[in-house]
Amino acid sequence: MDRPEPRTRLRRLHRPRVQGTAGNGLQLGHPRAHQQLVPTTDFQEKRTIMSNVAVIGLGIMGLPMAINLVKAGHAVTGFNRSQDKIDKLVSEGGKGASSIADAVKDADVVITMVPDSPDVEGVVGGKDGVFANAKQGALWIDASSIRPDVAVRLAADAKEAGIRPLDAPVSGGEQGAIDAVLSIMVGGDKADFDDAQDVLKAVGKTIVHVGPSGSGQTVKAANQLIVAVNIEVLGEAIAFLEAYGVDTDAALRVLGGGLAGSKVLEQKGQKMLDRNFDPGFRLALHHKDLGIVTSAAREANVAIPLGAIAAQLVAATVNQGDGALDHSGLFKQVLQLSGRK
């Protein structure tokens, strides 16, 4: 008996929610306006392309995020100042771009992941930047950690250019980016946050809308304050334990099971014991973030005495030439203050 021809069906790649004009309800240029009807068969499921995503900045965090977006089925184009990072993304199934303009021209979603406020301003502004070259209605997700006031100003510029902005800094370090379990704190319009879910869920686990534009950066500043103080006090505790000759591996194991347990202890304790400060998140960047939070706290008339001390200790470590170390390298400063190697 002849085998019947496979029954062909059509599957919609996006579930449109956005209200608009009559017809398909989507405005031209909206990320969900680029739906595709892809024929599939009952015998073979084709790979779903969710969205065209451009990632600007393929560093310690940006590259694994881009790779996870590829794994999730998105068409990902990356741009970075160093070609080797672009080549790595291409080897993982993404595409490379020769410029920011080239990367974003067809993107439904643009993610920027660069070090500081001036860097974000540099990649989004000007005739070759994101705002001048991205499609109308595209989502712009800034995953960088920058000043909240800059995030608010750039969000207004993005809207004026027809781009939908979200400030969405992340926490979890390099390993969190690799494992796609980042915590993402998102500021911006709730409707845009909802539309970004497929992309955000490809790189993060805890994804929360925390308020209007700038709110994500404010929450990230608070995160960096907590982390810095935790790293400092963990370093002090380990120096204390080592001074008394305690089995530090056993000590951290039992401390981690009690109220003293934390992600910082879990991820940074062994690095301190091993004196291994290969960067997952560089001290120089944490120094920048603590400058943001101390400045913002002063503007809000909020006292952060422990944060201010931690900021000074981080600054001293960076000024001594250790800015390229992982932020657990703050332990070196603790040891130096104690006169220990």
Side-chain angles (χ1 to χ4, degrees):
M1 178 182 296
D2 292 337
R3 184 182 181 91
E5 288 296 319
R7 180 171 57 86
T8 300
R9 68 182 187 274
L10 297 178
R11 185 179 70 251
R12 192 179 294 277
L13 296 192
H14 298 286
R15 300 181 300 277
R17 296 187 314 101
V18 179
Q19 296 179 350
T21 58
N24 64 9
L26 292 174
Q27 296 178 352
L28 181 64
H30 189 282
R32 292 185 177 178
H34 299 276
Q35 298 174 30
Q36 304 173 43
L37 294 179
V38 179
T40 63
T41 72
D42 289 334
F43 306 115
Q44 183 175 7
E45 190 75 10
K46 292 188 178 180
R47 189 181 185 195
T48 301
I49 300 298
M50 307 278 292
S51 299
N52 291 321
V53 183
V55 180
I56 310 301
L58 301 173
I60 289 176
M61 302 292 287
L63 179 59
M65 289 170 67
I67 291 171
N68 282 325
L69 285 162
V70 172
K71 292 177 179 177
H74 299 280
V76 180
T77 301
F79 175 75
N80 197 69
R81 286 179 297 182
S82 54
Q83 184 63 39
D84 61 314
K85 299 298 181 65
I86 297 175
D87 293 341
K88 175 63 176 173
L89 175 61
V90 171
S91 73
E92 295 288 341
K95 295 191 296 184
S98 59
S99 66
I100 294 171
D102 181 41
V104 307
K105 63 182 181 181
D106 296 319
D108 305 314
V109 180
V110 178
I111 298 175
T112 49
M113 176 55 100
V114 294
D116 203 351
S117 301
D119 302 295
V120 176
E121 292 174 302
V123 301
V124 300
K127 63 183 180 64
D128 298 320
V130 173
F131 295 167
N133 293 280
K135 297 185 299 188
Q136 293 286 294
L139 278 169
W140 168 48
I141 302 173
D142 183 30
S144 317
S145 295
I146 67 173
R147 287 166 35 195
D149 62 315
V150 174
V152 171
R153 173 166 51 80
L154 292 180
D157 292 345
K159 290 179 179 179
E160 186 175 342
I163 310 297
R164 299 185 294 151
L166 294 170
D167 52 289
V170 303
S171 179
E174 181 182 19
Q175 195 59 50
I178 292 170
D179 296 337
V181 294
L182 293 168
S183 178
I184 310 177
M185 45 227 82
V186 187
D189 292 345
K190 180 62 164 57
D192 295 337
F193 171 76
D194 292 340
D195 286 343
Q197 287 301 297
D198 285 344
V199 168
L200 295 175
K201 287 179 179 177
V203 298
K205 183 178 180 181
T206 303
I207 304 163
V208 181
H209 182 248
V210 294
S213 294
S215 300
Q217 297 296 350
T218 301
V219 175
K220 179 59 186 290
N223 179 87
Q224 297 303 79
L225 173 63
I226 294 169
V227 171
V229 172
N230 269 265
I231 288 176
E232 168 62 25
V233 78
L234 174 62
E236 292 177 12
I238 289 176
F240 173 73
L241 293 168
E242 288 181 344
Y244 276 91
V246 172
D247 181 338
T248 48
D249 288 305
L252 290 192
R253 197 159 59 245
V254 69
L255 289 172
L259 192 58
S262 69
K263 286 290 186 182
V264 168
L265 190 155
E266 181 183 311
Q267 295 183 17
K268 305 300 179 180
Q270 195 61 49
K271 291 178 75 71
M272 292 182 184
L273 295 183
D274 296 341
R275 274 52 170 182
N276 172 16
F277 305 122
D278 292 340
F281 183 75
R282 292 184 288 117
L283 266 167
L285 291 177
H286 211 142
H287 175 47
K288 176 262 299 182
D289 290 345
L290 290 171
I292 291 172
V293 71
T294 51
S295 175
R298 183 170 58 251
E299 291 175 10
N301 294 318
V302 173
I304 52 168
L306 293 181
I309 292 171
Q312 288 298 311
L313 292 170
V314 169
T317 309
V318 170
N319 291 339
Q320 290 165 5
D322 287 330
L325 300 182
D326 184 76
H327 52 173
S328 58
L330 183 57
F331 183 48
K332 290 183 65 178
Q333 192 66 233
V334 174
L335 294 175
Q336 181 173 321
L337 291 171
S338 300
R340 306 177 69 85
K341 292 184 179 180

mmCIF file of all heavy atoms in Angstrom, residues 189-209:
data_model
loop_
_atom_site.group_PDB
_atom_site.id
_atom_site.type_symbol
_atom_site.label_atom_id
_atom_site.label_comp_id
_atom_site.label_asym_id
_atom_site.label_seq_id
_atom_site.Cartn_x
_atom_site.Cartn_y
_atom_site.Cartn_z
ATOM 1 N N ASP A 189 7.990 50.245 29.755
ATOM 2 C CA ASP A 189 6.547 50.032 29.636
ATOM 3 C C ASP A 189 6.223 48.555 29.808
ATOM 4 O O ASP A 189 6.903 47.693 29.242
ATOM 5 C CB ASP A 189 6.041 50.517 28.280
ATOM 6 C CG ASP A 189 6.128 52.032 28.133
ATOM 7 O OD1 ASP A 189 6.314 52.707 29.164
ATOM 8 O OD2 ASP A 189 6.011 52.528 26.993
ATOM 9 N N LYS A 190 5.147 48.270 30.561
ATOM 10 C CA LYS A 190 4.781 46.879 30.829
ATOM 11 C C LYS A 190 4.458 46.127 29.538
ATOM 12 O O LYS A 190 4.799 44.941 29.400
ATOM 13 C CB LYS A 190 3.566 46.854 31.765
ATOM 14 C CG LYS A 190 3.080 45.459 32.132
ATOM 15 C CD LYS A 190 4.131 44.664 32.883
ATOM 16 C CE LYS A 190 3.542 43.438 33.588
ATOM 17 N NZ LYS A 190 2.833 42.516 32.688
ATOM 18 N N ALA A 191 3.815 46.777 28.583
ATOM 19 C CA ALA A 191 3.484 46.107 27.324
ATOM 20 C C ALA A 191 4.747 45.684 26.580
ATOM 21 O O ALA A 191 4.801 44.591 25.998
ATOM 22 C CB ALA A 191 2.638 47.027 26.444
ATOM 23 N N ASP A 192 5.781 46.531 26.614
ATOM 24 C CA ASP A 192 7.040 46.181 25.959
ATOM 25 C C ASP A 192 7.736 45.049 26.713
ATOM 26 O O ASP A 192 8.346 44.162 26.090
ATOM 27 C CB ASP A 192 7.954 47.403 25.885
ATOM 28 C CG ASP A 192 7.380 48.506 25.006
ATOM 29 O OD1 ASP A 192 6.537 48.183 24.141
ATOM 30 O OD2 ASP A 192 7.752 49.681 25.199
ATOM 31 N N PHE A 193 7.652 45.076 28.032
ATOM 32 C CA PHE A 193 8.187 43.975 28.838
ATOM 33 C C PHE A 193 7.519 42.661 28.454
ATOM 34 O O PHE A 193 8.194 41.637 28.279
ATOM 35 C CB PHE A 193 7.963 44.278 30.323
ATOM 36 C CG PHE A 193 8.262 43.140 31.251
ATOM 37 C CD1 PHE A 193 9.570 42.795 31.565
ATOM 38 C CD2 PHE A 193 7.231 42.414 31.827
ATOM 39 C CE1 PHE A 193 9.848 41.738 32.429
ATOM 40 C CE2 PHE A 193 7.493 41.357 32.698
ATOM 41 C CZ PHE A 193 8.807 41.028 32.990
ATOM 42 N N ASP A 194 6.208 42.681 28.303
ATOM 43 C CA ASP A 194 5.483 41.465 27.915
ATOM 44 C C ASP A 194 5.936 40.977 26.541
ATOM 45 O O ASP A 194 6.109 39.772 26.329
ATOM 46 C CB ASP A 194 3.984 41.721 27.909
ATOM 47 C CG ASP A 194 3.411 41.958 29.307
ATOM 48 O OD1 ASP A 194 4.077 41.564 30.290
ATOM 49 O OD2 ASP A 194 2.315 42.552 29.409
ATOM 50 N N ASP A 195 6.148 41.901 25.607
ATOM 51 C CA ASP A 195 6.565 41.524 24.264
ATOM 52 C C ASP A 195 7.988 40.974 24.219
ATOM 53 O O ASP A 195 8.357 40.288 23.259
ATOM 54 C CB ASP A 195 6.468 42.729 23.327
ATOM 55 C CG ASP A 195 5.035 43.073 22.955
ATOM 56 O OD1 ASP A 195 4.149 42.210 23.138
ATOM 57 O OD2 ASP A 195 4.794 44.197 22.491
ATOM 58 N N ALA A 196 8.790 41.268 25.238
ATOM 59 C CA ALA A 196 10.186 40.826 25.262
ATOM 60 C C ALA A 196 10.374 39.470 25.941
ATOM 61 O O ALA A 196 11.507 38.983 26.032
ATOM 62 C CB ALA A 196 11.038 41.873 25.990
ATOM 63 N N GLN A 197 9.294 38.846 26.390
ATOM 64 C CA GLN A 197 9.421 37.640 27.204
ATOM 65 C C GLN A 197 10.180 36.509 26.513
ATOM 66 O O GLN A 197 11.015 35.841 27.136
ATOM 67 C CB GLN A 197 8.037 37.151 27.641
ATOM 68 C CG GLN A 197 7.392 38.007 28.722
ATOM 69 C CD GLN A 197 8.219 38.083 29.982
ATOM 70 O OE1 GLN A 197 8.457 37.069 30.639
ATOM 71 N NE2 GLN A 197 8.685 39.268 30.312
ATOM 72 N N ASP A 198 9.895 36.250 25.237
ATOM 73 C CA ASP A 198 10.572 35.138 24.558
ATOM 74 C C ASP A 198 12.088 35.320 24.554
ATOM 75 O O ASP A 198 12.840 34.355 24.695
ATOM 76 C CB ASP A 198 10.070 35.011 23.111
ATOM 77 C CG ASP A 198 8.683 34.398 23.035
ATOM 78 O OD1 ASP A 198 8.245 33.798 24.035
ATOM 79 O OD2 ASP A 198 8.041 34.527 21.976
ATOM 80 N N VAL A 199 12.527 36.562 24.387
ATOM 81 C CA VAL A 199 13.958 36.840 24.372
ATOM 82 C C VAL A 199 14.542 36.781 25.773
ATOM 83 O O VAL A 199 15.580 36.155 26.017
ATOM 84 C CB VAL A 199 14.221 38.218 23.722
ATOM 85 C CG1 VAL A 199 15.661 38.668 23.942
ATOM 86 C CG2 VAL A 199 13.913 38.160 22.236
ATOM 87 N N LEU A 200 13.885 37.417 26.735
ATOM 88 C CA LEU A 200 14.406 37.441 28.101
ATOM 89 C C LEU A 200 14.475 36.042 28.708
ATOM 90 O O LEU A 200 15.426 35.704 29.424
ATOM 91 C CB LEU A 200 13.540 38.357 28.969
ATOM 92 C CG LEU A 200 13.545 39.841 28.585
ATOM 93 C CD1 LEU A 200 12.547 40.612 29.447
ATOM 94 C CD2 LEU A 200 14.936 40.446 28.714
ATOM 95 N N LYS A 201 13.479 35.220 28.411
ATOM 96 C CA LYS A 201 13.462 33.862 28.975
ATOM 97 C C LYS A 201 14.541 32.965 28.386
ATOM 98 O O LYS A 201 14.875 31.937 28.970
ATOM 99 C CB LYS A 201 12.083 33.242 28.773
ATOM 100 C CG LYS A 201 11.021 33.825 29.686
ATOM 101 C CD LYS A 201 9.660 33.198 29.436
ATOM 102 C CE LYS A 201 8.601 33.771 30.379
ATOM 103 N NZ LYS A 201 7.260 33.223 30.115
ATOM 104 N N ALA A 202 15.102 33.355 27.257
ATOM 105 C CA ALA A 202 16.186 32.580 26.661
ATOM 106 C C ALA A 202 17.509 32.789 27.389
ATOM 107 O O ALA A 202 18.430 31.980 27.251
ATOM 108 C CB ALA A 202 16.347 32.956 25.190
ATOM 109 N N VAL A 203 17.608 33.865 28.178
ATOM 110 C CA VAL A 203 18.879 34.172 28.844
ATOM 111 C C VAL A 203 18.756 34.232 30.369
ATOM 112 O O VAL A 203 19.774 34.251 31.068
ATOM 113 C CB VAL A 203 19.471 35.499 28.330
ATOM 114 C CG1 VAL A 203 19.768 35.408 26.845
ATOM 115 C CG2 VAL A 203 18.541 36.674 28.612
ATOM 116 N N GLY A 204 17.536 34.291 30.894
ATOM 117 C CA GLY A 204 17.371 34.475 32.334
ATOM 118 C C GLY A 204 16.367 33.529 32.942
ATOM 119 O O GLY A 204 15.598 32.853 32.248
ATOM 120 N N LYS A 205 16.355 33.512 34.259
ATOM 121 C CA LYS A 205 15.439 32.659 35.019
ATOM 122 C C LYS A 205 14.487 33.497 35.862
ATOM 123 O O LYS A 205 13.284 33.257 35.890
ATOM 124 C CB LYS A 205 16.230 31.707 35.908
ATOM 125 C CG LYS A 205 15.366 30.735 36.688
ATOM 126 C CD LYS A 205 16.226 29.779 37.507
ATOM 127 C CE LYS A 205 15.358 28.800 38.297
ATOM 128 N NZ LYS A 205 16.190 27.879 39.120
ATOM 129 N N THR A 206 15.030 34.477 36.582
ATOM 130 C CA THR A 206 14.208 35.378 37.384
ATOM 131 C C THR A 206 14.098 36.699 36.642
ATOM 132 O O THR A 206 15.058 37.456 36.558
ATOM 133 C CB THR A 206 14.835 35.598 38.775
ATOM 134 O OG1 THR A 206 15.013 34.333 39.427
ATOM 135 C CG2 THR A 206 13.942 36.481 39.632
ATOM 136 N N ILE A 207 12.921 36.948 36.072
ATOM 137 C CA ILE A 207 12.727 38.107 35.193
ATOM 138 C C ILE A 207 11.559 38.912 35.743
ATOM 139 O O ILE A 207 10.422 38.432 35.762
ATOM 140 C CB ILE A 207 12.433 37.647 33.753
ATOM 141 C CG1 ILE A 207 13.555 36.727 33.248
ATOM 142 C CG2 ILE A 207 12.259 38.847 32.828
ATOM 143 C CD1 ILE A 207 13.176 35.904 32.044
ATOM 144 N N VAL A 208 11.826 40.136 36.200
ATOM 145 C CA VAL A 208 10.812 40.909 36.908
ATOM 146 C C VAL A 208 10.742 42.331 36.364
ATOM 147 O O VAL A 208 11.770 43.004 36.205
ATOM 148 C CB VAL A 208 11.100 40.958 38.426
ATOM 149 C CG1 VAL A 208 10.019 41.741 39.156
ATOM 150 C CG2 VAL A 208 11.213 39.550 38.997
ATOM 151 N N HIS A 209 9.526 42.785 36.080
ATOM 152 C CA HIS A 209 9.301 44.176 35.718
ATOM 153 C C HIS A 209 9.242 44.990 36.999
ATOM 154 O O HIS A 209 8.404 44.743 37.861
ATOM 155 C CB HIS A 209 7.991 44.308 34.935
ATOM 156 C CG HIS A 209 7.708 45.711 34.490
ATOM 157 N ND1 HIS A 209 6.671 46.467 34.999
ATOM 158 C CD2 HIS A 209 8.347 46.499 33.589
ATOM 159 C CE1 HIS A 209 6.671 47.652 34.422
ATOM 160 N NE2 HIS A 209 7.672 47.705 33.564
#
